[in-house]
Amino acid sequence: METAADLATTRMAPLRIPAFRRFVLANLISVTGSAMAPLALAYSVIEQGGGAGALGLVLATNTVPTVVFLLAGGVLADRLSRSRILFLGNLLAAVAQGTLAATVATGHATTTSIAVCGFASGTAVAFTMPAAQGVVSQIIPREQLQQANALLRLPSNAVKVLGPVIGGLVVAAAGPSWALAWDALTFAAAALLLLGLRLDAPLTADSALSDLRAGWTGFWSRTWLWTYTAAGTVLVAAWLAGFQLLGPVVAAQEYAGARDWGLVQAAFASGLLAGTLVCLRWRPHRLLAVAVATSAALALPLVAMGWGLPLPCVLLAALLAGIGLDVAIVAWTTAFQQHVPQAELGRMSAFNSVGELLAIPFGYLITALAVHAWDNRTVLMACAGLIVAAAVLNLCVPDVYRINRLAADGHQARKYSTPLADAGHDEVREDGEGQVAG
């Protein structure tokens, strides 16, 4: 029987690997700047005379290149060294944020210049997002993946609790340029750390276009993956529209405005941190089913605000939503890393992410139209209903229950074929969907 000391050692085992410690440190440094960046960006636009329209343009130019270049980033992540891609991506982000900080500090910032810097940052995200998805499974043994994913998120979630508050104080005291400059410095520091990972590039003899076509074949042949992506597209759109868009509006109408909404955001961030701690202790067998089920908790704060419940109830609902979301993220990431081959992680991640990113503007647009026909509370309840429906329908997919935790040797009880990784082979493998041995 394992003692408490043994369990603690097991949870922290990934930190014994120098490459993982370097990756965690780079992520932590970067997130300290990223936590301040949204507020600093908004006030950079406001200070140069821009309003909601100008801010919307800046945010759009930041999101569009991510969507446009994401598939290209996924292909490159499966062809080149992921550490080199992360280095170059973070370096590009550092240059973009540094340029923005300089223009804001000198009073030369315009909506156009801010949008151009945002475009560069969004492009960097398109290439670093798929590459980052494959790093952990490249340096961590399969049986330690969940602990590693939780440990990677633990400091990031802790920063998210305090980062926006500190960012607000910095912007208020010194102006947005200082927060943007710090963001640029953190990207540069992270880039140098990531360069030291020196991960090998995947071996491939095919053209980039052939890799893209093969990636789509692999994505579509994995029912568990594309159904999760489809459900996630609906869920993300409903969550962002209900919580991020309508949440502050309802807080202003039904509660004490910005003060209470700040408490709700803090409760949600605290839930994310608590969810990470849960994942360090709990190792569910049915990883994908757990990820789908716990994501439904995002409906709770929308229901609480839609029913007009007292603030303590809304805070509790936001806390539970944060816990559910982080458990879902860690469980999903672990399942994804265990059941998709290393050579395909970048492309599968890109296909998974692009659908959810496309859902964001549509969710905002549909909500903006819906509030003209219904009151805000009704729209909140509709968003909550969509979240629950997406989770329930996803749980009706039989393949969801086949994507379970794999043992150290990669075996699980049920035989399951690998459509893309087994191209040219007819045998049925026992090491899980899409999982290549060792």
Side-chain angles (χ1 to χ4, degrees):
M1 184 176 180
E2 288 186 309
T3 64
D6 293 333
L7 290 173
T9 301
T10 300
R11 294 177 196 129
M12 298 298 151
L15 292 176
R16 297 177 180 175
I17 301 173
F20 182 69
R21 292 200 301 269
R22 178 181 289 268
F23 188 57
V24 170
L25 181 59
N27 185 70
L28 174 59
I29 291 173
S30 179
V31 80
T32 60
S34 299
M36 302 182 189
L39 184 64
L41 181 65
Y43 277 89
S44 297
V45 175
I46 293 171
E47 282 192 355
Q48 56 88 30
L55 182 57
L57 175 63
V58 168
L59 293 176
T61 54
N62 180 258
T63 303
V64 168
T66 302
V67 176
V68 171
F69 298 121
L70 190 58
L71 294 181
V75 171
L76 288 179
D78 290 338
R79 296 176 65 86
L80 306 176
S81 168
R82 288 167 181 150
S83 57
R84 182 59 60 91
I85 293 174
L86 289 173
F87 165 72
L88 293 174
N90 277 269
L91 194 61
L92 174 59
V95 172
Q97 292 300 84
T99 302
L100 178 57
T103 58
V104 172
T106 57
H108 292 96
T110 64
T111 299
T112 301
S113 65
I114 296 174
V116 168
C117 292
F119 186 91
S121 296
T123 302
V125 171
F127 291 94
T128 56
M129 185 186 296
Q133 186 66 260
V135 168
V136 174
S137 59
Q138 198 168 347
I139 59 180
I140 295 293
R142 181 187 289 120
E143 68 274 13
Q144 296 179 12
L145 282 174
Q146 180 176 319
Q147 296 98 310
N149 290 321
L151 288 169
L152 184 62
R153 291 184 59 79
L154 184 62
S156 300
N157 286 336
V159 170
K160 289 176 183 177
V161 176
L162 298 175
V165 177
I166 297 174
L169 294 174
V170 171
V171 171
S177 61
W178 285 94
L180 293 169
W182 174 251
D183 193 28
L185 286 173
T186 60
F187 275 124
L192 294 175
L193 284 168
L194 292 166
L195 182 63
L197 285 179
R198 304 187 185 281
L199 300 177
D200 294 333
L203 298 177
T204 178
D206 297 324
S207 67
L209 187 58
S210 296
D211 280 351
L212 181 60
R213 285 196 297 262
W216 173 252
T217 301
F219 176 78
W220 187 248
S221 64
R222 294 179 172 92
T223 303
W224 63 271
L225 183 53
W226 69 257
T227 53
Y228 182 88
T229 300
T233 299
V234 175
L235 188 145
V236 168
W239 165 251
L240 292 178
F243 192 77
Q244 300 291 358
L245 184 60
L246 286 181
V249 177
V250 173
Q253 294 174 345
E254 308 290 340
Y255 301 94
R259 184 200 68 184
D260 285 358
W261 184 242
L263 293 175
V264 173
Q265 294 274 36
F268 179 70
S270 299
L272 292 173
L273 182 59
T276 305
L277 297 175
V278 169
C279 291
L280 284 173
R281 301 181 64 88
W282 181 40
R283 291 166 52 84
H285 175 64
R286 298 197 179 278
L287 286 169
L288 189 55
V290 166
V292 174
T294 54
S295 66
L298 291 175
L300 293 175
L302 307 187
V303 171
M305 290 187 291
W307 279 349
L309 297 180
L311 180 63
C313 295
V314 177
L315 295 179
L316 176 60
L319 178 70
L320 294 175
I323 294 173
L325 178 60
D326 211 76
V327 171
I329 290 173
V330 173
W332 158 251
T333 305
T334 304
F336 182 80
Q337 292 165 343
Q338 287 192 346
H339 289 269
V340 174
Q342 268 291 333
E344 301 173 49
L345 279 171
R347 286 166 290 168
M348 297 305 105
S349 173
F351 282 120
N352 172 249
S353 300
V354 74
E356 296 180 356
L357 287 172
L358 285 172
I360 296 173
F362 287 108
Y364 286 154
L365 177 60
I366 293 172
T367 302
L369 296 174
V371 294
H372 291 293
W374 302 315
D375 61 81
N376 291 333
R377 285 188 176 185
T378 302
V379 177
L380 278 175
M381 296 300 291
C383 290
L386 284 173
I387 290 173
V388 174
V392 170
L393 289 175
N394 201 182
L395 287 171
C396 293
V397 177
D399 279 23
V400 166
Y401 303 96
R402 296 171 182 155
I403 306 303
N404 302 324
R405 181 181 304 280
L406 299 180
D409 59 4
H411 286 76
Q412 64 177 14
R414 184 180 177 87
K415 290 185 178 181
Y416 209 50
S417 63
T418 309
L420 179 57
D422 290 345
H425 302 272
D426 295 327
E427 68 271 20
V428 176
R429 302 166 59 141
E430 294 183 336
D431 53 351
E433 166 62 27
Q435 179 64 48
V436 292

